[in-house]
């Protein structure tokens, strides 16, 4: 049972909505691919802090990152009721991020486009997680809602290094781990 301090680990209830946050497609040069994986992983981590939503880990969805054209098949393979799909497009002064919450029938239940400066990516993951919770009609306890907004940095450069590290960790190899540690050290 979760304490009011919010320090315990939430365990999804049996009736929890099942969701997979797919890596966002990056609509630009390949050197930005880490953004799609890193942002999706950050959103997954936020949503995993609730009992009412069962979220598949990023490592489980990575094998499907290039097969998102058939959401019903991907959702079935992952055993989820919903997919969060999206894209990241670098624009002149930041990023355009589009996301859609899609049901197992392939129908979009909710969607939104965000234009954010690089410094806005830290806040954006919180905002998307909160809107997904609302779209799924999930009621969160105050400690769960607070966990959606825990922020570890407001520094865009540090957050970029963090995203680079997270994107390497979800595809675990010893070389990736060492490189991720380097990014995390730069972020600190």
């Amino acid at each position: 049972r979760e304490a009011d301090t919010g320090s315990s680990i939430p365990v999804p209830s049996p009736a929890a909505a099942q969701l997979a946050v797919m890596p966002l497609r990056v609509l630009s040069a390949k050197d930005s691919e880490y953004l799609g994986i890193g942002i999706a992983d950050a959103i997954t981590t936020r949503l995993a802090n609730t009992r009412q939503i069962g979220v598949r880990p990023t490592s489980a969805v990575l094998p499907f990152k290039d097969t998102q054209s058939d959401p019903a098949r991907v959702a079935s393979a992952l055993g989820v009721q919903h997919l969060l799909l999206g894209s990241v497009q670098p624009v002149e002064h930041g990023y355009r991020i589009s996301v859609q919450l899609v049901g197992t029938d392939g129908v979009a239940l909710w969607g939104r486009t965000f234009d954010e400066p690089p410094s806005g990516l830290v806040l954006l993951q919180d905002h998307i997680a909160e809107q997904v919770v609302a779209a799924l009609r999930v009621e969160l306890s105050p400690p769960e809602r607070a966990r959606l907004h825990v922020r570890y940095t407001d520094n865009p450069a540090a957050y970029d290094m963090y995203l680079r590290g997270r994107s390497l960790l979800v595809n675990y190899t010893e070389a990736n781990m060492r490189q991720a540690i380097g990014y995390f050290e730069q972020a600190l």
Side-chain angles (χ1 to χ4, degrees), residues 155-172:
N155 181 319
Y159 189 64
D160 184 72
M161 292 294 121
Y162 168 78
L163 288 178
R164 289 173 189 265
R166 287 299 297 238
S167 71
L168 289 166
L169 282 183
V170 297
N171 191 7
Y172 181 81

Side-chain angles (χ1 to χ4, degrees), residues 7-138:
S7 61
S8 63
I9 297 172
V11 177
S13 69
Q18 300 296 310
L19 172 72
V21 180
M22 303 303 294
L24 281 64
R25 288 180 297 116
V26 179
L27 307 176
S28 70
K30 289 292 181 192
D31 64 335
S32 299
E33 187 174 330
Y34 73 91
L35 280 172
I37 296 170
I39 292 171
D41 188 57
I43 294 168
T44 296
T45 301
R46 293 284 190 230
L47 292 172
N49 284 317
T50 68
R51 288 187 207 187
Q52 290 85 356
I53 302 173
V55 186
R56 295 298 176 267
T58 304
S59 59
V61 302
L62 275 181
F64 299 94
K65 75 178 183 139
D66 296 324
T67 61
Q68 296 181 35
S69 60
D70 187 357
R73 187 178 67 78
V74 173
S76 175
L78 290 169
V80 297
Q81 301 159 332
H82 303 92
L83 296 176
L84 185 67
L85 306 171
S87 63
V88 178
Q89 180 179 10
V91 293
E92 186 176 346
H93 297 290
Y95 301 97
R96 171 165 282 179
I97 298 168
S98 299
V99 289
Q100 293 181 345
L101 183 65
V102 178
T104 55
D105 57 3
V107 174
L109 306 170
W110 168 84
R112 183 93 191 264
T113 297
F114 304 88
D115 289 316
E116 295 292 330
S119 62
L121 291 180
V122 176
L123 297 173
L124 182 63
Q125 70 188 25
D126 301 348
H127 192 63
I128 291 173
E130 190 170 276
Q131 290 197 2
V132 167
V133 167
L136 292 173
R137 293 180 171 81
V138 172

